[in-house]
Amino acid sequence: MKILVAISKVPDSTSKISFKDNNTQFDEAGIQFIVNPYDEWYALVRALELKENLGGAVTTITVGEANADPVIRKALAIGADDAVRIDAEPVDALFTANQIASFARDKGYDLIMFGKETINYNGSQVGAMAAGLLDLPYVSNASSLEVSGSSARLERDIQGGSQVIDVDLPAVISASKGMAEQRIPNMKGIMSARKKKLEVVAPIEAPRHTEVLSYSLPEAKSEVKLIDPDNPTELIELLHKEAKVI
Amino acid sequence: MIKEKKEALKGGEFLIRETDPNDIFTPEEFDEEQQMIAETCETFLQQEVLTRLDEIDSMQKGLMPSLIEKVGELGVLGVSIPEEYGGFNKNFVTSMLTAERLGAGYSFSVAVSAHAGIGTLPILYYGTEEQKSKYIPKLASGEYKGAYCLTEPGSGSDANSGKTKATLNADGSKYILNGQKMWITNGGFADVFTVFAKIDEDENLSAFIVDASSEGITLNPEEKKMGIKGSSTCQIFFNNVEVPVENLLGQRNEGFKIALNILNIGRIKLAGAVIGGAKGTLTEAIRYANERNQFGRPISKYGAIRQKIAKMSYKTFACESAVYRASQNIEDRIASFEVEGMSKSEAVLKGIEAYAIECAMLKVHGSEVLDYVADESVQIFGGMGYSAESSVERAYRDSRINRIFEGTNEINRMLTVDMMLKKAMKGTLDLMGPAQAVAGELMAIPDFGSAPESEFEKLHGYIKNFKKAILMIAGSAVQKLMMELAKEQEILMAVADMLIETYVAESVLLRVEKRTSLEGETEDNKLKLEMARAYIFDAGSTINQLGNEALISFAEGDELRMMTMGLKRFTKMDALNIKLVRRNIAQRMIDENKYVF
């Protein structure tokens, strides 16, 4: 089995989110980044299990700049054999899919695996687009994956039940909860991560069709009422009728 | 005072020498690999430990040993063990980091640190090649669990007075061990004990490696304890237990030295572990304060709660600064001893021994910070904090033991001063010169000098003065009380606390100064400076109060008046709106819903 797993860098879910440049950019200052959990816990770990059972190799691929290297090395510490980073900012889904497809096209992967979505932008698009560009079958949201011979059996959670699908390999799949269990990197893995190959590849020319215009945070719950200092009557009325403290 | 960059600060020398901020290590400097190791520890706790705290505390059979095995499979138990014994040979600071991150695991933390520390290290550092090859790989992997048997019913703090006996048998092939040990952590499931006993009529202890399966060993049922209920604690009886002579650890009569050296390591490791506990508990308290509404607002909006969050935060931050500062000093000393040709084991022991003062001080400070945090967290939780269903209730009970084991905080305070004075008498630490200089300064017209050029210079000025206060009080107490001082434990305790506060205050200041010089005045660094200012402010008040109590207990008349004036001068600080500083610190933690550093 030759497996390619796409790995995304995302902010830790406890991060405090803020924006800059007139709310057009996510402010990365002080943010702790992690491997996208769907990529790590499910896609990567299942890929490693398949490799352990069937032999082969697991390569990770990331579209990102050098600041993505720590999360890539985390994936190596968990057990991937080597890693590729396409040296470009992953700003647009089709652009990102083009980079991955272009790299994967002539490498003969049996499986290309994605998490079902990234926990930052929740696009769920790159896997499908990459499959389209590579002209490969795509199964999304798979909660289990078994490989036998040249096909794979996948289970998908669907509304009110589940669906079992056989797909010919090579194929592109996206992984959801249940496909595998999180693996904690051990000391051996952590120490070998630095020695494993992390190849940096120049991006290809690819169109960017979307542009982020602005971000905004959910509205904060109102908890404070501001009253004009010249209007003590209103204050007294509110304290009396609403807060009921006087 | 001398300001040199190159020569590392020796143990205890902080009192008479300044440190260049560039010479200290700060936790912000952990590299990617170290951070990954830390993350592995944290994830392990989250997945395997924090989800099963009730099962652990009910001592579900086999659970704790299996957790030790699991963390062993990850390699974490062998982090600082040499590769030839199945470890990963990481440096001392990295082993402190793992102690810290595993420290947030309640009973599990105690079990794992006892295993990896006092349960493993005596064999690693004092064992023969055969002993090490036989035991260390299995201890490093978690296959064997270790325990350390020093305390007896009649000998706790006075450890060398133990009554357990070892007698050589007729053909000289075995020692016959008889006696009783108590409060043995991991006693209920350990495979290997390091047992301290006196051979024949020896005055000093010797140490033995004893297989737990040996005939003649019996265990009392598990102790019922106030906290760390999931940690196994047993009384162990040795009744004609045969121990092969090759299991003598180190030399005959060397046991007390082994015990003390291992305790030095245990003390600083404990200080690391309690930081982990404090950070975890503090985050629980902050989250609760943000969730709990009273009078229509989250209680984190109220000053009374904010003040608690702030104080817990800067105490934890300051303690962490001091622990890693000392850890790096130890690391550097180990490296320099190795360069001089010492074996790794010897270098580690000597390196840690060189900072035994700092180890003792940090044990005291760390355990009291965690107790403070646990106590105030219960308070923030209010009635819910008193319920056994809340996490902080467990934190509160579990925290308490830290002030008792690894040498009580009272013993460690007295040791701190005792070791300082012994170094001074031996001439390895020149306290006399600086103490006389301070005495001279008292007689002279105060030198107000020029105004400090920066906030850092001003704060360093305060620390310098705190040191003068200590030198004045301790110097005068030594002169006046001479040999009687050893009996004046109240004064020794006060001096120890003044030393601890000064060391920690200086450490947090150096950390912030270093970060600011490297990264500029970022939002983080501005907040860290606020924490340093707040810590130093509190430390100054404490030093002033303790100093006054000490002075009045042994000085009188003009001398008392002069020294009281001196103390006032040495603890004088500019007015600081501490309320505002604390509010700023709390605000950030509240905004981020966690302890952020």
Side-chain angles (χ1 to χ4, degrees):
Chain A
M1 287 294 288
K2 209 175 153 190
I3 307 174
L4 184 67
V5 182
I7 295 290
S8 257
K9 177 193 94 171
V10 297
D12 182 274
S13 55
T14 63
S15 304
K16 195 185 168 206
I17 305 298
S18 58
F19 307 108
K20 59 179 186 179
D21 298 347
N22 205 18
N23 289 332
T24 58
Q25 293 274 328
F26 169 53
D27 188 358
E28 297 199 349
I31 296 285
Q32 173 86 32
F33 285 98
I34 57 170
V35 181
N36 177 41
Y38 290 105
D39 302 344
E40 178 194 326
W41 300 355
Y42 310 124
L44 175 61
V45 176
R46 186 63 192 139
L48 294 172
E49 288 169 356
L50 290 173
K51 180 194 115 171
E52 284 153 12
N53 294 334
L54 306 167
V58 175
T59 300
T60 68
I61 185 163
T62 301
V63 180
E65 293 171 321
N67 60 10
D69 286 352
V71 301
I72 296 173
R73 276 191 286 269
K74 169 89 187 283
L76 292 171
I78 293 169
D81 297 287
D82 56 0
V84 174
R85 177 168 63 79
I86 313 286
D87 195 12
E89 211 187 328
V91 280
D92 169 277
L94 186 58
F95 172 84
T96 305
N98 259 307
Q99 304 303 329
I100 294 173
S102 155
F103 175 84
R105 185 159 285 123
D106 54 0
K107 305 285 190 307
Y109 291 108
D110 300 294
L111 263 173
I112 302 177
M113 297 172 73
F114 290 81
K116 70 161 184 161
E117 63 186 347
T118 51
I119 62 162
N120 46 2
Y121 299 114
N122 311 84
S124 296
Q125 298 184 71
V126 177
M129 286 176 170
L133 291 165
L134 290 164
D135 202 16
L136 289 177
Y138 177 63
V139 181
S140 64
N141 278 337
S143 57
S144 103
L145 162 66
E146 296 295 338
V147 171
S148 67
S150 62
S151 78
R153 178 159 294 181
L154 295 124
E155 203 170 315
R156 298 177 74 239
D157 293 332
I158 57 171
Q159 189 69 37
S162 66
Q163 180 187 34
V164 180
I165 293 180
D166 274 347
V167 63
D168 294 333
L169 298 181
V172 179
I173 68 118
S174 81
S176 68
K177 194 177 169 189
M179 186 179 275
E181 276 183 26
Q182 184 184 4
R183 264 190 201 182
I184 306 175
N186 60 28
M187 284 295 298
K188 223 176 243 173
I190 291 168
M191 289 179 70
S192 65
R194 263 195 307 198
K195 295 174 204 140
K196 287 179 179 170
K197 192 169 142 201
L198 195 174
E199 186 188 355
V200 180
V201 175
I204 58 157
E205 281 294 324
R208 296 169 196 229
H209 294 291
T210 58
E211 186 193 350
V212 175
L213 299 181
S214 73
Y215 293 104
S216 63
L217 290 172
E219 229 170 272
K221 280 186 236 160
S222 65
E223 50 193 359
V224 176
K225 265 192 188 141
L226 293 173
I227 295 154
D228 196 289
D230 296 322
N231 195 354
T233 329
E234 194 193 347
L235 173 68
I236 288 163
E237 203 176 14
L238 283 172
L239 287 173
H240 182 58
K241 288 191 174 153
E242 214 164 279
K244 293 183 174 130
V245 290
I246 54 171
Chain B
M1 293 188 197
I2 327 146
K3 189 157 184 166
E4 282 174 35
K5 195 176 169 195
K6 289 291 165 237
E7 203 184 327
L9 198 71
K10 293 186 193 124
E13 207 181 14
F14 73 93
L15 182 58
I16 51 164
R17 228 181 98 182
E18 282 184 71
T19 299
D20 188 310
N22 295 314
D23 291 346
I24 68 155
F25 175 83
T26 72
E28 290 82 355
E29 291 158 51
F30 285 121
D31 65 20
E32 193 182 301
E33 188 177 273
Q34 288 169 317
Q35 285 173 15
M36 249 195 258
I37 295 171
E39 216 179 292
T40 282
C41 297
E42 279 170 27
T43 315
F44 179 81
L45 279 196
Q46 279 159 11
Q47 285 193 350
E48 303 283 346
V49 178
L50 300 181
T51 49
R52 312 163 85 172
L53 292 174
D54 288 335
E55 293 161 61
I56 293 172
D57 272 5
S58 68
M59 301 216 76
Q60 199 182 86
K61 203 169 162 44
L63 179 55
M64 187 66 88
S66 80
L67 289 172
I68 293 178
E69 283 158 26
K70 277 189 184 169
V71 82
E73 281 165 25
L74 291 174
V76 173
L77 299 175
V79 73
S80 60
I81 287 174
E83 281 163 0
E84 60 265 38
Y85 303 113
F88 294 92
N89 208 27
K90 293 284 153 198
N91 64 15
F92 185 72
V93 174
T94 310
S95 76
M96 285 297 294
L97 180 62
T98 60
E100 182 206 318
R101 296 308 159 98
L102 291 176
Y106 304 89
S107 292
F108 170 76
S109 304
V110 173
V112 84
S113 65
H115 164 80
I118 54 183
T120 300
L121 300 182
I123 304 177
L124 179 64
Y125 294 142
Y126 290 96
T128 60
E129 198 46 52
E130 290 71 28
Q131 290 168 338
K132 287 193 273 192
S133 312
K134 184 172 171 193
Y135 293 102
I136 297 298
K138 288 182 175 169
L139 287 163
S141 71
E143 185 186 338
Y144 280 176
K145 286 86 187 162
Y148 176 89
C149 309
L150 175 64
T151 301
E152 298 183 12
S155 96
S157 295
D158 181 11
N160 206 29
S161 68
K163 291 191 172 64
T164 302
K165 278 264 174 289
T167 326
L168 204 56
N169 69 353
D171 66 5
S173 65
K174 286 168 185 142
Y175 287 103
I176 310 299
L177 213 55
N178 278 292
Q180 157 184 17
K181 295 285 175 181
M182 80 186 294
W183 309 127
I184 307 308
T185 304
N186 295 347
F189 56 76
D191 305 279
V192 188
F193 300 130
T194 299
V195 183
F196 295 87
K198 284 177 183 162
I199 298 175
D200 300 332
E201 301 309 315
D202 285 357
E203 262 184 39
N204 285 308
L205 296 169
S206 300
F208 302 87
I209 306 170
V210 180
D211 287 327
S213 58
S214 310
E215 220 166 294
I217 295 180
T218 47
L219 270 61
N220 260 4
E222 290 286 344
E223 301 285 351
K224 298 211 182 310
K225 307 187 293 289
M226 171 195 287
I228 56 163
K229 289 175 185 286
S231 143
S232 164
T233 311
C234 289
Q235 196 163 0
I236 302 182
F237 298 88
F238 298 89
N239 194 2
N240 290 325
V241 175
E242 294 184 350
V243 181
V245 279
E246 60 267 23
N247 279 23
L248 175 69
L249 189 58
Q251 304 297 313
R252 181 172 174 165
N253 282 318
E254 209 186 19
F256 193 53
K257 192 179 100 186
I258 296 176
L260 292 186
N261 278 331
I262 295 300
L263 282 176
N264 283 334
I265 306 176
R267 282 169 189 154
I268 191 158
K269 285 274 174 77
L270 182 145
V274 291
I275 295 167
K279 287 180 181 175
T281 306
L282 182 43
T283 289
E284 298 273 344
I286 295 166
R287 286 189 185 148
Y288 188 82
N290 276 337
E291 279 165 22
R292 171 75 175 164
N293 282 294
Q294 283 296 280
F295 306 105
R297 308 195 298 167
I299 59 170
S300 61
K301 296 268 181 202
Y302 297 104
I305 301 295
R306 291 188 168 216
Q307 171 162 290
K308 293 183 194 301
I309 292 173
K311 284 176 89 168
M312 291 192 281
S313 299
Y314 63 74
K315 278 172 185 276
T316 302
F317 182 74
C319 181
E320 180 189 53
S321 311
V323 165
Y324 286 106
R325 174 192 184 190
S327 302
Q328 185 65 45
N329 284 149
I330 291 171
E331 176 63 45
D332 292 343
R333 188 50 56 91
I334 293 169
S336 76
F337 282 140
E338 274 189 283
V339 169
E340 286 168 24
M342 270 188 204
S343 71
K344 174 90 185 176
S345 296
E346 205 183 344
V348 170
L349 289 168
K350 292 275 179 211
I352 293 171
E353 197 186 351
Y355 295 92
I357 294 173
E358 284 75 6
C359 293
M361 290 197 303
L362 293 170
K363 190 271 173 184
V364 173
H365 188 260
S367 60
E368 293 184 3
V369 165
L370 178 60
D371 245 11
Y372 181 84
V373 169
D375 183 67
E376 288 289 54
S377 295
V378 168
Q379 198 66 18
I380 287 176
F381 270 67
M384 188 45 82
Y386 203 69
S387 160
E389 279 176 28
S390 76
S391 57
V392 293
E393 183 262 1
R394 178 180 275 117
Y396 182 83
R397 286 184 292 100
D398 285 3
S399 163
R400 193 61 183 80
I401 186 62
N402 290 295
R403 283 163 55 196
I404 298 169
F405 61 18
E406 306 280 351
T408 64
N409 282 13
E410 291 67 32
I411 287 285
N412 274 295
R413 282 186 163 95
M414 285 186 281
L415 271 173
T416 298
V417 183
D418 183 57
M419 289 189 283
M420 273 283 194
L421 294 179
K422 276 192 181 134
K423 279 193 170 197
M425 281 178 212
K426 267 203 223 158
T428 51
L429 188 66
D430 175 24
L431 295 183
M432 279 324 214
Q436 278 163 357
V438 175
E441 201 180 320
L442 282 181
M443 314 288 256
I445 301 160
D447 171 19
F448 294 106
S450 50
E453 282 175 14
S454 71
E455 179 76 1
F456 287 115
E457 196 186 321
K458 184 174 95 179
L459 295 170
H460 274 300
Y462 295 162
I463 308 277
K464 256 192 231 178
N465 278 340
F466 296 167
K467 294 178 184 179
K468 286 180 186 173
I470 299 170
L471 287 164
M472 173 184 81
I473 293 166
S476 164
V478 168
Q479 243 180 5
K480 285 195 91 68
L481 301 165
M482 309 287 280
M483 300 317 281
E484 292 297 302
L485 180 58
K487 291 182 201 153
E488 299 285 332
Q489 293 191 343
E490 298 90 334
I491 297 174
L492 296 177
M493 307 269 278
V495 172
D497 280 329
M498 291 159 76
L499 283 166
I500 293 168
E501 289 303 325
T502 302
Y503 183 72
V504 175
E506 183 178 60
S507 302
V508 65
L509 180 59
L510 289 166
R511 173 178 181 180
V512 181
E513 193 178 6
K514 183 174 187 186
R515 296 326 305 164
T516 307
S517 80
L518 290 173
E519 299 153 354
E521 288 180 4
T522 60
E523 286 306 310
D524 271 7
N525 286 335
K526 280 188 214 158
L527 189 74
K528 288 174 184 176
L529 178 59
E530 295 279 70
M531 299 217 275
R533 291 168 79 198
Y535 193 90
I536 293 167
F537 179 87
D538 287 358
S541 310
T542 306
I543 292 168
N544 180 282
Q545 189 199 336
L546 292 170
N548 272 316
E549 285 177 19
L551 282 177
I552 210 155
S553 75
F554 69 84
E556 53 191 0
D558 283 348
E559 196 188 15
L560 173 63
R561 268 191 291 280
M562 189 176 63
M563 285 198 287
T564 308
M565 290 295 288
L567 180 63
K568 200 172 166 190
R569 198 198 313 164
F570 295 143
T571 50
K572 187 175 178 304
M573 294 179 284
D574 284 354
L576 176 72
N577 186 345
I578 189 73
K579 180 193 80 177
L580 204 61
V581 170
R582 287 181 185 148
R583 279 191 180 180
N584 288 340
I585 295 167
Q587 188 64 53
R588 173 75 183 278
M589 312 296 161
I590 290 164
D591 282 349
E592 297 211 16
N593 205 23
K594 63 184 179 194
Y595 172 73
V596 289
F597 294 115

